[in-house]
Amino acid sequence: MNLEKEIKLAFEEIGSYGDELAYLGLTTKIEIPFRDWLAVKLHKKSGKEYMIAREYPEVSATNNKTLRTDLAILKDGIVKERVELKACYTFDIPKKNRDYNLFWNQVLADYEKHKFIDGNTYFLLLAVHPIDKIEDSKNDVIKYYSGHRRFSKHYTQEELLKDVKDDIPTEWKTHENLKLKDSGFHEMGEAFGIRVGIVYYLWEKVN
């Protein structure tokens, strides 16, 4: 199984799975729902050769502590590939947000935990993006509504999406141990009359 290829394919197909992920993207943090959706998708394709594990325990070679890997692909009981996920919203990561590197730093923290563990390791940052403006009347059902509203004063939804897609911070692209393999945007569906998409960035550990 080629995990990088399967992740890219999952994003290409995400809009054909109905509106469930769109709903979850607006009402909760998408990290766990997306991970579980991806795990089930990989499980259905894995056949008898591979096993797909969620929160798989691995022992760190640096401190002998047990880590919980978000998603691992095993063959004959050995982890061949793994992916760690982090999730946010597009309003978290434009450069106009002074804390735009907050989630990048979380990716780096995951790298530090896994840098001495064998096997291909990927790191996936997800950013949920409401394509349509969120009406004030929906503030009680939309997660982190205040963040969406605050940045709507500086951006239209189109401008925000263009910013986080096209102006990727230099440090995200030039880290010596993490290679940016792919990034993109895909629509997930609709909830509460709001079209919802997801921006993603995928890195591979190279050292």
Side-chain angles (χ1 to χ4, degrees), residues 46-101:
S46 62
K48 296 181 179 180
E49 187 176 4
Y50 298 97
M51 294 181 65
I52 312 302
R54 298 161 52 255
E55 298 183 2
Y56 186 75
E58 298 190 84
V59 177
S60 170
T62 56
N63 56 19
N64 211 36
K65 289 185 177 180
T66 299
L67 307 174
R68 292 283 175 177
T69 296
D70 284 336
L71 191 58
I73 297 178
L74 292 83
K75 183 178 181 180
D76 299 326
I78 298 172
V79 177
K80 296 297 184 181
E81 298 185 284
R82 66 180 65 77
V83 60
E84 286 290 311
L85 293 88
K86 288 290 179 282
C88 61
Y89 295 85
T90 47
F91 68 75
D92 287 310
I93 55 176
K95 291 180 181 177
K96 286 185 180 179
N97 185 336
R98 63 183 180 181
D99 295 323
Y100 73 91
N101 265 337

Coordinates of all heavy atoms in Angstrom, one line a residue, residues 46-101:
S46 N -7.5 -2.6 2.0 CA -6.2 -3.2 2.5 C -6.1 -4.7 2.2 O -5.0 -5.3 2.1 CB -6.0 -3.0 4.0 OG -7.0 -3.6 4.7
G47 N -7.3 -5.4 2.1 CA -7.2 -6.8 1.8 C -6.6 -7.5 3.0 O -6.7 -7.1 4.2
K48 N -6.0 -8.7 2.8 CA -5.4 -9.5 3.8 C -4.0 -9.2 4.1 O -3.4 -9.6 5.1 CB -5.6 -11.0 3.5 CG -7.1 -11.4 3.5 CD -7.1 -12.9 3.2 CE -8.6 -13.4 3.2 NZ -8.7 -14.8 2.9
E49 N -3.4 -8.4 3.2 CA -1.9 -8.2 3.3 C -1.6 -7.1 4.4 O -0.5 -7.2 5.0 CB -1.4 -7.7 1.9 CG 0.1 -7.5 1.9 CD 0.6 -7.2 0.5 OE1 -0.2 -6.9 -0.4 OE2 1.8 -7.1 0.3
Y50 N -2.5 -6.2 4.6 CA -2.2 -5.1 5.5 C -3.2 -5.0 6.6 O -4.4 -5.4 6.4 CB -2.1 -3.7 4.8 CG -1.0 -3.6 3.7 CD1 -1.3 -3.9 2.4 CD2 0.3 -3.3 4.1 CE1 -0.3 -3.8 1.4 CE2 1.3 -3.2 3.1 CZ 1.0 -3.5 1.8 OH 2.0 -3.4 0.9
M51 N -2.8 -4.4 7.7 CA -3.8 -4.1 8.8 C -3.7 -2.6 9.0 O -2.6 -2.0 9.0 CB -3.4 -4.8 10.1 CG -3.6 -6.3 10.0 SD -3.2 -7.1 11.6 CE -4.5 -6.5 12.6
I52 N -4.8 -1.9 9.2 CA -4.9 -0.5 9.4 C -5.3 -0.3 10.9 O -6.3 -0.8 11.4 CB -6.0 0.2 8.5 CG1 -5.8 -0.3 7.1 CG2 -5.9 1.7 8.7 CD1 -4.5 0.0 6.5
A53 N -4.4 0.4 11.6 CA -4.6 0.6 13.0 C -4.7 2.1 13.4 O -4.0 2.9 12.8 CB -3.4 0.0 13.8
R54 N -5.6 2.4 14.3 CA -5.8 3.7 14.8 C -5.2 3.8 16.2 O -5.3 2.8 17.0 CB -7.3 4.1 14.9 CG -8.1 4.1 13.6 CD -9.6 4.0 13.8 NE -10.1 5.0 14.8 CZ -10.5 4.6 16.0 NH1 -10.4 3.4 16.4 NH2 -11.0 5.6 16.8
E55 N -4.6 4.9 16.5 CA -3.9 5.1 17.8 C -3.0 3.9 18.2 O -3.1 3.3 19.3 CB -5.0 5.4 18.9 CG -5.8 6.6 18.6 CD -6.8 6.9 19.7 OE1 -6.8 6.1 20.7 OE2 -7.5 7.9 19.6
Y56 N -2.2 3.6 17.3 CA -1.3 2.4 17.4 C -0.1 2.7 18.3 O 0.6 3.7 18.2 CB -0.8 1.9 16.0 CG 0.0 0.6 16.1 CD1 -0.7 -0.6 16.2 CD2 1.4 0.6 16.0 CE1 0.0 -1.8 16.3 CE2 2.1 -0.6 16.0 CZ 1.4 -1.8 16.2 OH 2.0 -3.0 16.2
P57 N 0.1 1.8 19.3 CA 1.2 2.1 20.3 C 2.5 1.7 19.7 O 2.8 0.6 19.2 CB 0.9 1.1 21.5 CG 0.1 0.0 20.8 CD -0.7 0.6 19.7
E58 N 3.5 2.7 19.8 CA 4.9 2.5 19.3 C 5.8 3.0 20.4 O 5.5 4.0 21.0 CB 5.1 3.2 18.0 CG 4.3 2.7 16.9 CD 4.7 3.2 15.5 OE1 5.7 2.6 14.9 OE2 4.2 4.2 15.1
V59 N 6.9 2.4 20.6 CA 7.9 2.8 21.6 C 8.9 3.7 21.0 O 9.6 3.3 20.0 CB 8.5 1.5 22.3 CG1 9.6 2.0 23.3 CG2 7.5 0.7 22.9
S60 N 9.2 4.8 21.6 CA 10.2 5.8 21.1 C 11.6 5.3 21.5 O 11.8 4.8 22.6 CB 9.9 7.1 21.8 OG 11.0 8.0 21.5
A61 N 12.5 5.4 20.5 CA 13.8 4.9 20.8 C 14.6 5.9 21.6 O 15.7 5.6 22.2 CB 14.6 4.7 19.4
T62 N 14.1 7.1 21.7 CA 14.8 8.2 22.5 C 14.6 8.1 24.0 O 15.5 8.3 24.8 CB 14.4 9.6 22.0 OG1 13.0 9.7 22.1 CG2 14.9 9.8 20.5
N63 N 13.4 7.8 24.4 CA 13.1 7.8 25.8 C 12.3 6.6 26.3 O 11.9 6.5 27.4 CB 12.3 9.1 26.2 CG 11.0 9.2 25.4 OD1 10.5 8.3 24.8 ND2 10.5 10.4 25.4
N64 N 12.1 5.7 25.4 CA 11.5 4.4 25.7 C 10.0 4.6 26.1 O 9.4 3.7 26.7 CB 12.2 3.6 26.8 CG 12.1 2.1 26.6 OD1 12.1 1.6 25.5 ND2 12.0 1.4 27.8
K65 N 9.4 5.7 25.8 CA 8.0 5.9 26.1 C 7.2 5.5 24.9 O 7.6 5.5 23.8 CB 7.8 7.4 26.4 CG 8.4 7.9 27.7 CD 8.0 9.4 27.9 CE 8.5 9.8 29.3 NZ 8.1 11.3 29.6
T66 N 5.9 5.1 25.3 CA 5.0 4.6 24.3 C 4.3 5.8 23.7 O 3.7 6.6 24.4 CB 4.0 3.6 24.9 OG1 4.7 2.5 25.4 CG2 3.0 3.1 23.8
L67 N 4.3 5.8 22.3 CA 3.6 6.9 21.6 C 2.3 6.2 21.0 O 2.2 5.0 20.8 CB 4.4 7.4 20.4 CG 5.8 7.9 20.7 CD1 6.5 8.2 19.4 CD2 5.7 9.1 21.6
R68 N 1.3 7.0 20.7 CA 0.1 6.6 20.1 C 0.1 7.2 18.7 O -0.2 8.4 18.5 CB -1.1 7.0 20.9 CG -1.3 6.2 22.2 CD -1.8 4.8 22.0 NE -1.8 4.1 23.2 CZ -2.2 2.8 23.3 NH1 -2.7 2.2 22.2 NH2 -2.2 2.2 24.5
T69 N 0.4 6.4 17.7 CA 0.4 6.9 16.3 C -1.1 7.0 15.8 O -1.9 6.1 16.0 CB 1.2 5.9 15.4 OG1 2.5 6.0 15.8 CG2 1.1 6.4 14.0
D70 N -1.4 8.1 15.2 CA -2.8 8.4 14.8 C -3.3 7.3 13.9 O -4.4 6.7 14.0 CB -2.9 9.7 14.1 CG -2.9 10.9 15.1 OD1 -3.3 10.7 16.2 OD2 -2.6 12.0 14.7
L71 N -2.5 7.0 12.8 CA -2.9 6.0 11.9 C -1.7 5.2 11.3 O -0.7 5.9 10.9 CB -3.6 6.7 10.7 CG -4.4 5.8 9.7 CD1 -5.5 5.0 10.4 CD2 -5.0 6.7 8.6
A72 N -1.7 3.9 11.5 CA -0.5 3.1 11.1 C -1.0 2.0 10.1 O -2.1 1.4 10.3 CB 0.1 2.5 12.3
I73 N -0.1 1.7 9.2 CA -0.3 0.6 8.2 C 0.7 -0.5 8.6 O 1.9 -0.3 8.5 CB -0.1 1.0 6.8 CG1 -1.2 2.1 6.5 CG2 -0.3 -0.1 5.8 CD1 -1.1 2.6 5.0
L74 N 0.2 -1.7 8.9 CA 1.1 -2.8 9.3 C 1.1 -3.9 8.3 O 0.0 -4.2 7.7 CB 0.6 -3.4 10.7 CG 0.8 -2.5 11.9 CD1 -0.4 -1.5 12.1 CD2 0.9 -3.4 13.2
K75 N 2.2 -4.5 8.1 CA 2.3 -5.7 7.3 C 3.2 -6.7 8.1 O 4.3 -6.4 8.6 CB 3.0 -5.4 6.0 CG 3.1 -6.6 5.1 CD 3.8 -6.3 3.7 CE 3.8 -7.5 2.8 NZ 4.4 -7.1 1.5
D76 N 2.6 -7.9 8.3 CA 3.3 -8.9 9.1 C 3.6 -8.4 10.5 O 4.7 -8.7 11.1 CB 4.5 -9.5 8.4 CG 4.2 -10.1 7.1 OD1 3.1 -10.7 7.0 OD2 5.0 -10.0 6.2
G77 N 2.8 -7.6 11.1 CA 3.0 -7.1 12.5 C 4.0 -5.9 12.6 O 4.3 -5.5 13.7
I78 N 4.5 -5.4 11.5 CA 5.5 -4.3 11.5 C 4.9 -3.1 10.8 O 4.2 -3.2 9.7 CB 6.7 -4.8 10.7 CG1 7.4 -6.0 11.4 CG2 7.7 -3.6 10.6 CD1 8.6 -6.5 10.7
V79 N 5.0 -1.9 11.4 CA 4.5 -0.7 10.9 C 5.4 -0.3 9.6 O 6.6 -0.1 9.8 CB 4.5 0.4 11.9 CG1 4.1 1.7 11.2 CG2 3.6 0.1 13.1
K80 N 4.7 -0.2 8.5 CA 5.4 0.1 7.3 C 5.3 1.6 7.0 O 6.2 2.3 6.5 CB 4.9 -0.7 6.1 CG 5.1 -2.2 6.2 CD 6.6 -2.5 6.2 CE 6.9 -3.9 6.2 NZ 8.3 -4.2 6.2
E81 N 4.1 2.2 7.3 CA 3.9 3.6 7.1 C 2.9 4.1 8.2 O 2.1 3.3 8.7 CB 3.2 3.8 5.7 CG 4.1 3.4 4.5 CD 3.5 3.8 3.2 OE1 2.5 3.1 2.8 OE2 3.9 4.8 2.6
R82 N 3.0 5.4 8.4 CA 2.1 6.0 9.4 C 1.9 7.4 9.1 O 2.6 8.0 8.3 CB 2.8 5.9 10.8 CG 4.0 6.7 11.0 CD 4.6 6.6 12.4 NE 5.1 5.3 12.7 CZ 6.2 4.8 12.2 NH1 7.0 5.4 11.3 NH2 6.6 3.5 12.6
V83 N 0.8 8.0 9.6 CA 0.5 9.4 9.4 C 0.0 10.0 10.8 O -0.8 9.4 11.5 CB -0.5 9.6 8.3 CG1 -1.9 8.9 8.6 CG2 -0.7 11.1 8.1
E84 N 0.5 11.1 11.1 CA 0.0 11.9 12.2 C -0.8 13.1 11.7 O -0.4 13.7 10.7 CB 1.2 12.4 13.0 CG 1.9 11.4 13.9 CD 1.0 10.9 15.0 OE1 0.5 11.8 15.8 OE2 0.9 9.7 15.2
L85 N -1.9 13.4 12.3 CA -2.8 14.4 11.8 C -2.9 15.6 12.9 O -2.9 15.3 14.1 CB -4.2 13.9 11.6 CG -4.4 12.9 10.4 CD1 -4.1 11.4 10.9 CD2 -5.7 13.0 9.8
K86 N -3.1 16.7 12.3 CA -3.5 17.9 13.1 C -4.6 18.6 12.3 O -4.6 18.6 11.1 CB -2.3 18.9 13.3 CG -1.3 18.3 14.4 CD -1.9 18.3 15.8 CE -1.0 17.7 16.8 NZ -0.9 16.3 16.8
A87 N -5.4 19.4 13.0 CA -6.5 20.0 12.3 C -6.8 21.4 12.9 O -6.6 21.7 14.1 CB -7.8 19.2 12.4
C88 N -7.2 22.3 12.0 CA -7.6 23.7 12.4 C -8.6 24.2 11.4 O -9.3 23.4 10.7 CB -6.3 24.5 12.4 SG -5.5 24.7 10.8
Y89 N -8.7 25.5 11.4 CA -9.6 26.2 10.4 C -8.7 27.1 9.6 O -7.7 27.6 10.0 CB -10.7 26.9 11.1 CG -11.7 26.0 11.8 CD1 -11.4 25.5 13.1 CD2 -12.8 25.5 11.2 CE1 -12.2 24.6 13.8 CE2 -13.6 24.5 11.8 CZ -13.3 24.1 13.1 OH -14.1 23.2 13.8
T90 N -9.2 27.5 8.4 CA -8.4 28.4 7.6 C -8.1 29.7 8.2 O -7.1 30.3 8.0 CB -9.0 28.6 6.2 OG1 -10.4 28.9 6.3 CG2 -8.9 27.3 5.3
F91 N -9.0 30.2 9.1 CA -8.7 31.5 9.8 C -7.5 31.3 10.7 O -7.0 32.4 11.2 CB -10.0 32.0 10.5 CG -10.4 31.2 11.7 CD1 -9.8 31.3 12.9 CD2 -11.6 30.4 11.6 CE1 -10.2 30.5 14.0 CE2 -12.0 29.7 12.7 CZ -11.3 29.8 13.9
D92 N -7.1 30.1 11.1 CA -6.0 29.9 12.0 C -4.6 30.2 11.3 O -3.6 30.4 12.0 CB -6.0 28.5 12.5 CG -7.0 28.3 13.6 OD1 -7.2 29.1 14.5 OD2 -7.8 27.3 13.4
I93 N -4.5 30.1 10.0 CA -3.2 29.9 9.4 C -2.8 31.0 8.3 O -1.7 30.9 7.8 CB -3.1 28.5 8.7 CG1 -4.2 28.2 7.7 CG2 -3.0 27.5 9.8 CD1 -4.0 26.9 7.0
P94 N -3.6 32.0 8.0 CA -3.1 33.1 7.2 C -2.0 33.9 7.9 O -2.0 33.9 9.1 CB -4.3 33.9 6.8 CG -5.2 33.8 8.0 CD -5.0 32.4 8.5
K95 N -1.1 34.4 7.1 CA 0.0 35.2 7.8 C -0.5 36.4 8.5 O 0.3 36.9 9.4 CB 1.0 35.5 6.7 CG 1.8 34.3 6.2 CD 2.8 34.8 5.1 CE 3.6 33.6 4.6 NZ 4.5 34.0 3.5
K96 N -1.7 36.9 8.2 CA -2.2 38.0 9.0 C -2.6 37.6 10.4 O -2.8 38.5 11.3 CB -3.5 38.6 8.3 CG -3.2 39.4 7.0 CD -4.4 40.0 6.5 CE -4.1 40.8 5.2 NZ -5.4 41.4 4.6
N97 N -2.7 36.3 10.7 CA -2.9 35.8 12.0 C -1.5 35.7 12.7 O -0.7 34.9 12.2 CB -3.6 34.5 12.0 CG -3.9 33.9 13.4 OD1 -3.3 34.3 14.3 ND2 -4.9 33.1 13.4
R98 N -1.3 36.4 13.7 CA 0.1 36.4 14.3 C 0.5 35.1 14.8 O 1.7 34.8 15.0 CB 0.2 37.5 15.4 CG -0.8 37.2 16.6 CD -0.7 38.3 17.6 NE -1.6 38.1 18.8 CZ -1.7 38.9 19.8 NH1 -1.0 40.0 19.8 NH2 -2.5 38.6 20.8
D99 N -0.5 34.2 15.1 CA -0.2 32.8 15.6 C -0.3 31.8 14.4 O -0.6 30.6 14.7 CB -1.2 32.5 16.7 CG -1.0 33.3 17.9 OD1 0.2 33.7 18.2 OD2 -2.0 33.6 18.6
Y100 N 0.0 32.2 13.2 CA -0.3 31.4 12.0 C 0.6 30.1 12.1 O 0.3 29.1 11.5 CB 0.0 32.1 10.7 CG 1.4 32.4 10.4 CD1 2.2 31.5 9.6 CD2 2.0 33.6 10.8 CE1 3.5 31.8 9.3 CE2 3.3 33.9 10.5 CZ 4.1 33.0 9.8 OH 5.4 33.2 9.4
N101 N 1.7 30.1 12.9 CA 2.6 28.9 12.9 C 2.2 28.0 14.1 O 2.9 27.0 14.3 CB 4.0 29.4 13.1 CG 4.8 29.4 11.7 OD1 4.4 28.7 10.8 ND2 5.8 30.2 11.7

